Amino acid sequence: MFWQKLIARIGTTAVTLIGVAVIVFVVIRVVPGNPVAMMLPPGATEADVARLTALYGLDKSIPAQFLIWVQGVLQGDFGTSITTRQPVLDLVLGRLPATLELSIMALVMAVIIGGIAALTGTRLRGTKAEGAIDVANGMALSVPDFLWGLALILLFGVLVPVFHISGRVTPSLDLPFTTGFYLFESLFRLRFDLWADIVSHMLMPALALAIPLAAIIGQLLKQSLKETMHLDYVTLSRTKGYGENHVITREALPNAILPTLTLVGVQFTFLIGGTVIVERLFSYEGLGNMAIDAVINRDLPLIQGIVILFAVIFTAVNLVVDLLYTVLNPRLRHG
Amino acid sequence: MSFLSVKNLTLRLRDNRAPLLRDVSLEVSAGEVHGLVGESGAGKSMIGKAVLGILPRAVEIAGGEIWLDGVDLLTLPPAARRKRVGGLAALIPQDPLTALNPSRRIGPQITDRLVDILGWKRTEAEARALDLLGEVQINDPARVMRQYPHELSGGMRQRILIASAFAAEPKLIVADEPTTALDVTVQKQILRLIAGMQARHGTALLFVTHDLGVVSKVCQSLSVLYAGRILEQSTVRDFFAAPTHPYSAALLGATPKYTDPEGSLTPVPEAIIARLRAEIAAYDEAHHG
Ligand SMILES: Nc1ncnc2c1ncn2[C@@H]1O[C@H](COP(=O)(O)OP(=O)(O)OP(=O)(O)O)[C@@H](O)[C@H]1O
Ligand SMILES: [Mg+2]
């Protein structure tokens, strides 16, 4: 039952990825702008352009180019970046850890902030404090992540400069890292000085990404909690002598969390999409920032590689959410 | 002194102050089974909820006292009150399908209060739960303790809820229509089970029901409610011999068969209802309702 589901899921994932690949491949080749012409110095001749275009195979028809690209991908070769002349796979995997760390940190912050808002709002339901939380949620929700980013840069980068607002780590520091996961590796190596520096760089962009999602979690979870609080088993638990805190966290929360979990899965992919602009704002050296450069330079192989990787991440997130849902919901576990 | 003594309890809606219970008093001695009867909306459940401290937020206590084992619960701070009620009283709910937490195993739902609130050891609590599940005639209790509610039938779940209600050896159990949500075929078994458990454990029971037939079988005394007022209070023997209130008499005349719980308590003659309404209106007038 479970394995059947998983295999079916992997099948649909493959189809999705192929679809994404085809669309991206065609779209970036149809929009105007010759990547080769852009990278050559102003004095280059027509012949120079033609020679380089042929070198990258861009003179062939789109289906022919696609076939060549697919053949390469199947052998683990995503092509060579036109601007940097490095293998796309190396470039993309080199930046992936930075974006993953940022997204996961943002997700954790969103869950903590949103969760606290929902629990506090439920605990204080019917009071003015609940109203205040609702208003704050609404405000957080109506402003997009990149505007939060700008606001945070102004507040904590310019007005009260307590956090770093540019880059991933202070450039003058010596980095002993062997992986790209700076945040985790610095902890692992017990280099708390580095860890603090990295966190201080990540905090603002992560918060900008987290605020809208936190608001969504806060609203939806609180709504489900309030509905759950009326149910008979919650009331029964009160008669056993349990107080409000226990009743909310132990009886209501495990049931109320399921709809929120599904939504968080979808919203997390939006959050990852949000890294593109937010990384740019904070000059954070992740995939998103690289994607913008790739688009500006019409670096076709690199754009393809990044988009495919994002698609893989999105489907992986959805898969994890589905699995978690099954684990948390006993009714599904027993089919 | 009665184990439970409700004195002049008045409940009303918080927003428009509409009264739900009007000056309700009743006494239940240790080990006694007291029936609360009346038509839908009369306020039977509200009495039980007030005693257990689980009134809906929309409802407030406008006056009265609720003495449980010699202490007026309404004078206690909330935490102390919860603890006292949790130790002395329990609820057998109406609908077994919604009264168990769907995401938690059966075992902890019975044992948690013993451990968390009453300070038992986990192993003692589990042994106790196994005993009780056996007593309510559940096969293979150890397995059931590890199951989730959705794996069990309604009748099984009601047995579990009964076992759970008796777990802390309470002195008072509120049973709010404990069989109405069940299959007709299971109703009798569950009723017999509750009566048997009550007798063995010597627990006082506040038994909420529509069904005078059930009252005659399991209760020793009863209160007849109408629109939040108690019309008549007496022993079951006296009541069924000769009810004093005309409404009760009409009810008794209209009592559906024990086997037909869907049967309505009406028709009560219009004239009696009209007189009751006038009485209630006069009462509300006098209490500037
Ligand atoms: N959550 C609530 N908020 C406001 N009013 C309520 C609420 N629950 C019940 N009431 C009102 O309180 C009154 C008494 O309700 P109660 O549930 O005690 O009736 P009951 O005698 O138990 O009826 P039933 O036989 O239908 O269970 C009714 O008029 C009902 O409309
Ligand atoms: Mg009721």
Side-chain angles (χ1 to χ4, degrees):
Chain A
M1 181 64 199
F2 177 80
W3 293 109
Q4 269 176 352
K5 249 205 246 169
L6 195 68
I7 290 168
R9 190 59 189 267
I10 291 171
T12 48
T13 303
V15 173
T16 311
L17 291 181
I18 293 169
V20 169
V22 171
I23 291 169
V24 173
F25 205 89
V26 173
V27 166
I28 59 180
R29 277 167 177 74
V30 177
V31 294
N34 182 341
V36 177
M38 291 182 66
M39 60 184 287
L40 285 172
T45 65
E46 288 283 317
D48 291 335
V49 174
R51 203 168 37 80
L52 256 175
T53 307
L55 185 68
Y56 284 102
L58 295 174
D59 54 343
K60 298 192 175 66
S61 72
I62 291 181
Q65 290 186 38
F66 187 70
L67 273 182
I68 294 171
W69 183 76
V70 170
Q71 275 171 358
V73 167
L74 290 178
Q75 294 161 26
D77 176 9
F78 282 75
T80 307
S81 155
I82 296 177
T83 29
T84 66
R85 295 180 203 174
Q86 285 170 286
V88 166
L89 194 62
D90 294 357
L91 288 173
V92 167
L93 290 184
R95 288 290 185 95
L96 176 64
T99 296
L100 279 186
E101 283 192 341
L102 183 64
S103 309
I104 291 172
M105 182 162 173
L107 176 66
V108 170
M109 287 167 75
V111 168
I112 293 176
I113 298 170
I116 290 177
L119 290 170
T120 318
T122 310
R123 180 73 178 81
L124 303 175
R125 63 194 180 287
T127 69
K128 287 208 179 69
E130 185 196 6
I133 290 175
D134 286 345
V135 170
N137 262 341
M139 275 167 46
L141 205 55
S142 53
V143 178
D145 47 15
F146 59 90
L147 286 184
W148 283 117
L150 285 175
L152 290 172
I153 288 176
L154 284 178
L155 264 176
F156 297 106
V158 181
L159 282 180
V160 199
V162 285
F163 296 107
H164 293 284
I165 51 161
S166 173
R168 193 175 176 204
V169 61
T170 304
S172 56
L173 290 174
D174 264 342
L175 301 180
F177 302 137
T178 52
T179 71
F181 293 94
Y182 293 0
L183 188 68
F184 293 98
E185 200 177 338
S186 60
L187 263 188
F188 190 71
R189 290 178 183 270
L190 306 178
R191 288 291 304 274
F192 298 115
D193 53 329
L194 285 180
W195 186 79
D197 182 73
I198 292 161
V199 168
S200 160
H201 277 86
M202 291 175 71
L203 211 52
M204 291 299 105
L207 189 59
L209 290 167
I211 291 174
L213 180 55
I216 293 174
I217 294 176
Q219 274 189 351
L220 183 68
L221 184 59
K222 186 173 135 236
Q223 184 58 36
S224 331
L225 274 173
K226 282 182 81 169
E227 283 162 17
T228 311
M229 292 300 283
H230 293 296
L231 299 182
D232 289 350
Y233 58 83
V234 174
T235 307
L236 187 63
S237 167
R238 291 183 196 284
T239 68
K240 295 177 178 176
Y242 287 110
E244 194 71 9
N245 291 342
H246 176 103
V247 164
I248 293 174
T249 55
R250 297 286 305 284
E251 299 286 341
L253 185 60
N255 296 293
I257 212 163
L258 290 175
T260 310
L261 182 71
T262 318
L263 186 85
V264 167
V266 178
Q267 293 294 328
F268 184 48
T269 54
F270 288 144
L271 185 153
I272 296 173
T275 58
V276 174
I277 295 181
V278 169
E279 283 184 359
R280 191 64 166 192
L281 273 181
F282 288 88
S283 312
Y284 184 88
E285 295 114 31
L287 270 182
N289 213 341
M290 184 188 250
I292 291 182
D293 284 333
V295 169
I296 291 174
N297 297 322
R298 300 288 190 281
D299 192 336
L300 305 186
L302 188 56
I303 298 176
Q304 272 150 229
I306 294 174
V307 172
I308 292 291
L309 186 61
F310 269 118
V312 169
I313 296 175
F314 287 3
T315 35
V317 167
N318 285 326
L319 188 64
V320 169
V321 170
D322 273 11
L323 292 180
L324 261 182
Y325 197 87
T326 316
V327 170
L328 288 180
N329 189 345
R331 267 162 298 194
L332 291 183
R333 222 179 307 155
H334 298 269
Chain B
M1 165 106 199
S2 306
F3 184 74
L4 170 69
S5 167
V6 176
K7 292 183 179 157
N8 308 104
L9 183 64
T10 298
L11 300 183
R12 65 182 180 209
L13 286 180
R14 230 175 257 284
D15 54 3
N16 64 7
R17 311 189 132 216
L20 299 182
L21 289 185
R22 300 166 162 93
D23 238 336
V24 164
S25 299
L26 61 86
E27 309 267 325
V28 184
S29 346
E32 180 188 357
V33 183
H34 186 91
L36 282 179
V37 293
E39 55 197 67
S40 196
K44 307 181 294 293
S45 296
M46 284 297 158
I47 297 180
K49 287 178 182 173
V51 171
L52 293 168
I54 50 171
L55 285 172
R57 284 177 163 246
V59 176
E60 66 180 357
I61 297 176
E65 297 162 19
I66 301 175
W67 293 78
L68 188 67
D69 200 16
V71 175
D72 180 6
L73 295 174
L74 301 186
T75 60
L76 295 178
R81 177 176 176 191
R82 272 202 307 272
K83 192 144 195 252
R84 186 164 183 83
V85 173
L88 289 172
L91 171 69
I92 300 176
Q94 176 167 357
D95 187 354
L97 297 187
T98 56
L100 287 164
N101 190 327
S103 67
R104 302 181 62 206
R105 292 174 199 277
I106 298 297
Q109 299 199 50
I110 304 175
T111 56
D112 270 7
R113 59 126 58 112
L114 300 179
V115 178
D116 299 342
I117 310 284
L118 303 176
W120 293 30
K121 287 204 185 73
R122 169 99 18 219
T123 48
E124 289 170 358
E126 275 166 9
R128 169 85 177 149
L130 285 174
D131 278 355
L132 280 163
L133 288 178
E135 196 178 338
V136 296
Q137 291 141 38
I138 281 182
N139 296 325
D140 199 354
R143 195 173 92 90
V144 171
M145 298 253 292
R146 287 191 303 274
Q147 287 183 304
Y148 286 93
H150 70 272
E151 300 173 72
L152 306 164
S153 71
M156 284 272 269
R157 293 193 222 181
Q158 192 59 303
R159 286 168 193 277
I160 288 163
L161 286 160
I162 292 166
S164 176
F166 280 92
E169 206 61 68
K171 299 286 189 300
L172 171 74
I173 288 182
V174 178
D176 192 346
E177 308 200 40
T179 62
T180 24
L182 298 173
D183 246 37
V184 183
T185 46
V186 206
Q187 289 190 350
K188 265 191 193 175
Q189 298 168 19
I190 295 293
L191 208 59
R192 217 176 295 133
L193 182 70
I194 294 176
M197 295 278 286
Q198 181 276 331
R200 271 196 302 283
H201 293 260
T203 319
L205 204 55
L206 195 58
F207 198 99
V208 175
T209 179
H210 282 106
D211 191 337
L212 281 174
V214 171
V215 171
S216 71
K217 291 214 163 61
V218 298
C219 300
Q220 282 117 47
S221 56
L222 83 168
S223 303
V224 179
L225 249 84
Y226 182 86
R229 287 278 278 165
I230 289 192
L231 299 186
E232 170 157 12
Q233 233 159 19
S234 77
T235 64
V236 163
R237 184 182 308 166
D238 293 349
F239 181 84
F240 282 93
T244 53
H245 198 283
Y247 178 80
S248 315
L251 276 192
L252 211 45
T255 297
K257 277 275 170 291
Y258 176 49
T259 47
D260 175 23
E262 298 301 319
S264 152
L265 287 176
T266 48
V268 171
E270 283 295 327
I272 297 177
I273 298 292
R275 208 187 94 193
L276 280 173
R277 295 230 169 93
E279 274 175 29
I280 301 278
Y283 171 92
D284 284 350
E285 190 67 31
H287 294 74
H288 28 257

